[in-house]
Amino acid sequence: MRQTKRASKKRSQLAKQAQDTETRIERLYQDAATTGMKAMSRHSVGEFNYGFRQIANEMNTYSVRSLEQVFHAWQEFLDAGPLRQVVELQAQYVQNAQNAYEAYVDEVSRLGEMYLDVTRRVSKPLALPKRAK
């Protein structure tokens, strides 16, 4: 009878220990998952912001450069005296249209690469630090 009570008590203790261990492991995994998700989202948001700041700066630089070229062209047209000089300027800018188109295509390609780079960096898996035991 005593052995039965002792065995029953021992079984209850082991079951309680197993349940406590299971609860502790569940909490550790839940904490690790939560911490990992926070770190991943913080990393992704940071990379996203940094990448789009770079893209915005690139677009701003290109826009300023393009507007300066337009204003320079208008200034030359307004400063041109005789009709012959205006026609020569127009012919010169028609010849430079190919260069402007190539610059535009280069800029769009560069922006596309920047968007892809941001996407790659944001979606890159994060290596989580190992937890101390």
Side-chain angles (χ1 to χ4, degrees):
M1 182 89 145
R2 264 188 199 171
Q3 287 181 343
T4 309
K5 281 186 179 182
R6 247 189 256 156
S8 176
K9 189 175 182 180
K10 184 73 171 174
R11 218 179 18 244
S12 295
Q13 286 176 344
L14 288 174
K16 174 112 171 83
Q17 285 177 350
Q19 189 176 14
D20 291 344
T21 302
E22 178 186 354
T23 304
R24 190 168 38 89
I25 290 172
E26 284 177 3
R27 283 190 192 134
L28 286 173
Y29 276 112
Q30 188 175 18
D31 290 346
T34 303
T35 303
M37 290 302 287
K38 285 179 183 175
M40 284 177 20
S41 65
R42 203 174 314 124
H43 169 77
S44 294
V45 169
E47 286 292 331
F48 182 80
N49 285 337
Y50 176 73
F52 274 98
R53 252 185 278 128
Q54 284 181 318
I55 291 169
N57 287 338
E58 179 69 27
M59 292 174 81
N60 186 38
T61 303
Y62 178 76
S63 298
V64 166
R65 209 175 331 123
S66 295
L67 284 174
E68 285 174 351
Q69 290 172 353
V70 167
F71 288 134
H72 179 69
W74 273 105
Q75 188 65 40
E76 284 184 350
F77 276 119
L78 293 174
D79 290 344
L83 182 61
R84 179 180 175 164
Q85 195 176 9
V86 171
V87 172
E88 287 174 2
L89 283 173
Q90 185 180 11
Q92 178 186 353
Y93 283 106
V94 167
Q95 289 172 355
N96 290 333
Q98 181 67 28
N99 294 339
Y101 175 75
E102 288 174 3
Y104 173 75
V105 169
D106 287 343
E107 185 64 24
V108 169
S109 297
R110 186 174 21 257
L111 287 173
E113 286 298 320
M114 290 175 83
Y115 277 108
L116 283 174
D117 185 48
V118 168
T119 304
R120 284 184 193 118
R121 286 191 320 230
V122 168
S123 64
K124 185 169 80 171
L126 233 179
L128 296 176
K130 294 184 179 179
R131 269 189 107 108
K133 291 181 181 180

